[in-house]
Amino acid sequence: MRIAIDAMGGDHAPQAAVEGAVSAAREWADITVILVGDTDRLQPLLQGNKPANLELRHASETIEADDEPVKAVRRKKDASMVVAGRMVKEKEADAMISAGNTGALMTTGLLVVGRIPGIERPALAPMLPTTDGEGILALDLGANMDATANQLVQYAIMGSLYRSKVHGLHEPRVGLLNVGTEAMKGNEVAKAAFPLLEQAPIRFVGNVESRDVLRKPCDVVVCDGFAGNIMLKSMEGTASVIFSALKEEFTRTWYTKLAAAIVKKGLGQFRKKLDYTEHGAAPLLGIDGLVLKSHGSSNALAFKNAVRQARLALKNDLVGSISTEIRNGSEL
Amino acid sequence: MRIAIDAMGGDHAPQAAVEGAVSAAREWADITVILVGDTDRLQPLLQGNKPANLELRHASETIEADDEPVKAVRRKKDASMVVAGRMVKEKEADAMISAGNTGALMTTGLLVVGRIPGIERPALAPMLPTTDGEGILALDLGANMDATANQLVQYAIMGSLYRSKVHGLHEPRVGLLNVGTEAMKGNEVAKAAFPLLEQAPIRFVGNVESRDVLRKPCDVVVCDGFAGNIMLKSMEGTASVIFSALKEEFTRTWYTKLAAAIVKKGLGQFRKKLDYTEHGAAPLLGIDGLVLKSHGSSNALAFKNAVRQARLALKNDLVGSISTEIRNGSEL
């Protein structure tokens, strides 16, 4: 299993990627980690401390966080992210991980690696936080703004396979993001998707309301990228406003500061549960090769965890399973 | 100005409606309040204490909270809500207020009162809470799941007129709910709506993200009913989860209970700000007559406040202004 890491992407590049890669290579002897980036910068960070199953691949360019995604991927042919994508395409690597520009990574997936035959649209599938700390896989969270009913069904199949292959869940429960739990609720796309999801080779548990998502009514929730983004950012915005108000109240006087000191630990643990950056890398599902998006703020541990996810997905042939399931579906 | 109140709708019917109506009739001599409902039940509640500008209108039926909206409005022709709608239609009343079944009220607006000529779809426009306590008018919040770009423009015009006519805002700022602030963001409908909103006779301030809505980036936010519902319920769900966690932490031990006692008042005030039931009745805009939806849990004060809103909207000819603006727009 060969896992390429875009060493130049993310807020703490390349240091975090290098440290994470070394630590992952040490932990798992059955993988080879390939750091893709400016070798002049990567080499010194290894400090002659390179495990045998860690390789370097030079790439002279870098895609920046504020680069326009499609343009950057087309023009910067020797960017670390694009080179890693090409390695997956050409079977020099089985998976790639990047903490860089999300739009550019989706473009790399689509244009450099390519889709699984039969998949209409790939989907970005992060774990959203839930109150039990386990999370819920949500897709699509931003790869495509609009989705047809059939695309939502493909998301459901891919998300379900991811949860079973990578997280080991038995028959994960799949819900459809909607405005009510009754079958005929929703916009035209949701109403058309509902009966198709009932027929799909998944455990469909019906509509779920955004109000309940944090309480984990299911293991996978499908939605178009527009609604998914509105949901995620509404949650983030509300949490941020409430925690700001708490902070303000807790620093208002000396005795509210005392109150803060008392509950600080408990609330801190709870807030951490709600922090979606804690929930690992998000797969870009539907791509004909494994592509994982690590959070921009990823540290070494986050990179190592992304390698862990990639390794599990490869061992359990996630991409092959999606391909088989989609082919079977289209033959029905 | 004649304002009809569906006395049988809401959790505290008919008591709350009667008390609110009496108090409103006493406060404003320039209006007549008409309580519509079962006069056998309403009369005793008035206790011979009826202001001269308060009238009763008998209606023998009631639409229940769990009635199927369209069926109920079609079959229960003598329901208090439907009778109030018919009074608006036949100019026996200038406005109607109901705290009853929301779907049935939207159906009453559409089928009994009817749309303003030129309006494609009416929109339900509640105030969402904001951190400054003032709120933001959001539409559509549930009357129609899907919306075209042109319908979003009509929502923008109606919402803008409501904020200026009823809330007295000068040139209210109108935003488009979207996934990013740049012009070309969003799904197909949002991308098509953006340039139309730039041309519309409103003060368009561009895209707003759901993450920022609570911080009031504008005075009116337009969206389709599906996205609006996802946003609102994501906010509610997140707030509910966080306040539950706070409560749990605050009751965990005797010293966290002490902490709770210290910050209780400050947090209570903040939570109240975030409670959208505090923000008055929601107009159903685009209907050819004034229709206001009061929250199901409305007490007497909420009914009185809804009358206050109706009176302002009538004094400033909200419905006529919408009609004129839409007519002008279609003549361009």
Side-chain angles (χ1 to χ4, degrees):
Chain A
M1 290 177 283
R2 295 173 58 82
I3 299 167
I5 298 179
D6 166 14
M8 313 308 283
D11 305 342
H12 310 297
Q15 179 91 32
V18 171
E19 286 174 20
V22 168
S23 155
R26 289 249 157 74
E27 176 128 356
W28 299 291
D30 58 357
I31 61 168
T32 299
V33 181
I34 308 141
L35 280 167
V36 185
D38 181 352
T39 44
D40 284 349
R41 290 183 62 195
L42 301 181
Q43 203 79 60
L45 293 170
L46 286 167
Q47 300 162 323
N49 191 12
K50 195 175 80 57
N53 58 340
L54 188 148
E55 300 174 6
L56 296 184
R57 167 70 65 101
H58 184 67
S60 62
E61 294 174 289
T62 300
I63 291 179
E64 307 296 340
D66 54 357
D67 275 348
E68 199 284 304
V70 179
K71 242 185 242 173
V73 171
R74 290 219 165 112
R75 291 189 189 164
K76 294 183 173 176
K77 297 210 183 295
D78 203 38
S80 53
M81 186 192 284
V82 176
V83 171
R86 213 179 298 128
M87 290 170 69
V88 174
K89 171 72 179 175
E90 291 164 3
K91 313 286 180 207
E92 286 181 70
D94 304 298
M96 74 167 285
I97 294 162
S98 176
N101 184 319
T102 307
L105 184 61
M106 293 189 297
T107 306
T108 298
L110 202 56
L111 301 186
V112 179
V113 186
R115 273 172 301 164
I116 292 172
I119 289 288
E120 296 182 21
R121 302 280 183 89
L124 188 65
M127 292 291 285
L128 301 189
T130 54
T131 49
D132 64 358
E134 298 199 350
I136 179 171
L137 190 83
L139 70 170
D140 175 31
L141 253 289
N144 303 286
M145 287 294 115
D146 291 283
T148 63
N150 193 49
Q151 285 158 13
L152 290 177
V153 174
Q154 292 194 336
Y155 297 171
I157 292 170
M158 297 193 292
S160 184
L161 283 167
Y162 185 83
R163 291 292 269 163
S164 82
K165 298 288 175 184
V166 177
H167 296 160
L169 293 191
H170 178 65
E171 299 188 355
R173 296 161 304 151
V174 181
L176 172 65
L177 183 66
N178 210 327
V179 303
T181 51
E182 307 88 334
M184 282 315 295
K185 284 281 178 179
N187 58 11
E188 293 307 318
V189 171
K191 283 193 275 188
F194 192 98
L196 299 181
L197 288 164
E198 288 185 306
Q199 306 289 320
I202 52 163
R203 182 170 160 208
F204 180 52
V205 295
N207 293 326
V208 300
E209 290 194 72
S210 57
R211 158 187 0 240
D212 301 320
V213 165
L214 287 171
R215 301 188 193 271
K216 209 177 71 173
C218 51
D219 306 301
V220 177
V221 60
V222 295
C223 53
D224 65 50
F226 190 78
N229 181 291
I230 299 286
M231 172 176 69
L232 179 63
K233 290 192 178 156
S234 301
M235 289 174 174
E236 283 177 15
T238 306
S240 148
V241 158
I242 296 177
F243 285 115
S244 298
L246 278 177
K247 195 174 172 186
E248 200 174 298
E249 175 63 19
F250 280 143
T251 52
R252 205 163 46 84
T253 65
W254 70 264
Y255 53 92
T256 64
K257 279 179 197 161
L258 170 70
I262 295 172
V263 294
K264 192 176 178 188
K265 196 175 155 207
L267 291 184
Q269 285 167 343
F270 171 74
R271 189 169 187 178
K272 208 167 165 182
K273 267 196 211 163
L274 285 194
D275 182 357
Y276 75 110
T277 63
E278 297 276 327
H279 279 275
L284 186 55
L285 297 173
I287 297 299
D288 198 8
L290 191 63
V291 178
L292 292 176
K293 169 72 180 86
S294 257
H295 200 267
S297 63
S298 292
N299 58 15
L301 182 61
F303 275 102
K304 183 183 174 187
N305 283 335
V307 173
R308 182 198 310 273
Q309 278 173 264
R311 181 173 168 273
L312 274 172
L314 293 174
K315 272 175 94 85
N316 296 302
D317 192 22
L318 172 70
V319 174
S321 308
I322 292 175
S323 178
T324 304
E325 196 70 52
I326 293 296
R327 202 170 45 236
N328 288 347
S330 66
E331 280 167 6
L332 290 180
Chain B
M1 291 177 283
R2 294 173 59 82
I3 299 167
I5 298 180
D6 166 13
M8 314 307 284
D11 305 341
H12 309 297
Q15 179 94 31
V18 171
E19 286 175 19
V22 169
S23 155
R26 289 249 157 73
E27 176 128 359
W28 299 291
D30 58 358
I31 61 168
T32 299
V33 181
I34 308 142
L35 279 167
V36 185
D38 180 352
T39 45
D40 284 350
R41 291 184 62 195
L42 302 181
Q43 203 79 59
L45 293 170
L46 286 167
Q47 299 161 325
N49 191 12
K50 195 175 78 61
N53 59 339
L54 189 148
E55 301 175 5
L56 295 185
R57 167 71 65 103
H58 184 66
S60 62
E61 294 175 288
T62 301
I63 291 180
E64 308 296 339
D66 55 358
D67 275 348
E68 200 283 304
V70 178
K71 240 184 245 175
V73 170
R74 288 215 166 115
R75 291 189 189 164
K76 293 183 172 175
K77 297 208 183 297
D78 203 39
S80 52
M81 185 192 284
V82 177
V83 171
R86 211 178 299 129
M87 289 170 71
V88 173
K89 172 71 178 176
E90 291 166 2
K91 312 287 181 208
E92 287 180 69
D94 303 297
M96 74 167 286
I97 294 162
S98 176
N101 184 318
T102 307
L105 184 61
M106 294 189 296
T107 307
T108 298
L110 202 56
L111 301 186
V112 179
V113 186
R115 274 171 300 165
I116 292 173
I119 289 288
E120 296 182 20
R121 301 280 182 90
L124 189 64
M127 292 291 284
L128 301 190
T130 54
T131 48
D132 65 357
E134 297 200 350
I136 179 172
L137 190 83
L139 70 168
D140 175 31
L141 252 289
N144 303 287
M145 287 294 115
D146 292 283
T148 63
N150 193 48
Q151 284 158 13
L152 290 177
V153 173
Q154 292 194 337
Y155 296 171
I157 292 170
M158 296 193 294
S160 183
L161 283 167
Y162 185 83
R163 292 291 270 164
S164 82
K165 297 289 176 183
V166 177
H167 296 160
L169 294 191
H170 179 65
E171 298 188 356
R173 297 160 303 151
V174 181
L176 172 65
L177 183 66
N178 211 329
V179 303
T181 52
E182 307 88 334
M184 281 317 293
K185 284 278 179 183
N187 58 10
E188 293 306 317
V189 171
K191 284 193 275 188
F194 193 98
L196 299 181
L197 287 165
E198 288 185 305
Q199 305 289 322
I202 51 163
R203 183 172 160 206
F204 180 51
V205 295
N207 293 327
V208 300
E209 289 193 71
S210 57
R211 158 186 2 239
D212 301 321
V213 165
L214 287 171
R215 301 188 194 272
K216 208 177 72 173
C218 50
D219 305 301
V220 176
V221 60
V222 296
C223 54
D224 65 49
F226 190 78
N229 182 291
I230 299 285
M231 172 176 71
L232 180 63
K233 289 192 179 157
S234 301
M235 290 175 174
E236 285 177 13
T238 307
S240 147
V241 158
I242 296 177
F243 285 116
S244 297
L246 277 176
K247 197 174 170 186
E248 202 175 297
E249 175 63 19
F250 280 144
T251 51
R252 204 163 46 85
T253 65
W254 71 265
Y255 52 92
T256 65
K257 279 179 196 161
L258 170 70
I262 295 172
V263 294
K264 193 176 177 187
K265 196 177 156 205
L267 291 184
Q269 285 168 345
F270 171 73
R271 189 169 187 179
K272 207 167 165 179
K273 266 194 209 163
L274 285 194
D275 182 356
Y276 76 111
T277 63
E278 297 275 327
H279 279 274
L284 186 57
L285 297 173
I287 297 298
D288 198 9
L290 190 64
V291 177
L292 292 176
K293 170 70 179 87
S294 257
H295 200 269
S297 63
S298 292
N299 57 15
L301 181 61
F303 275 102
K304 184 182 174 185
N305 284 334
V307 173
R308 181 197 312 274
Q309 277 173 266
R311 181 173 167 272
L312 275 171
L314 292 174
K315 272 176 93 90
N316 295 303
D317 192 22
L318 172 71
V319 175
S321 308
I322 292 174
S323 177
T324 304
E325 196 71 53
I326 293 295
R327 201 168 48 235
N328 289 347
S330 65
E331 279 166 6
L332 290 179

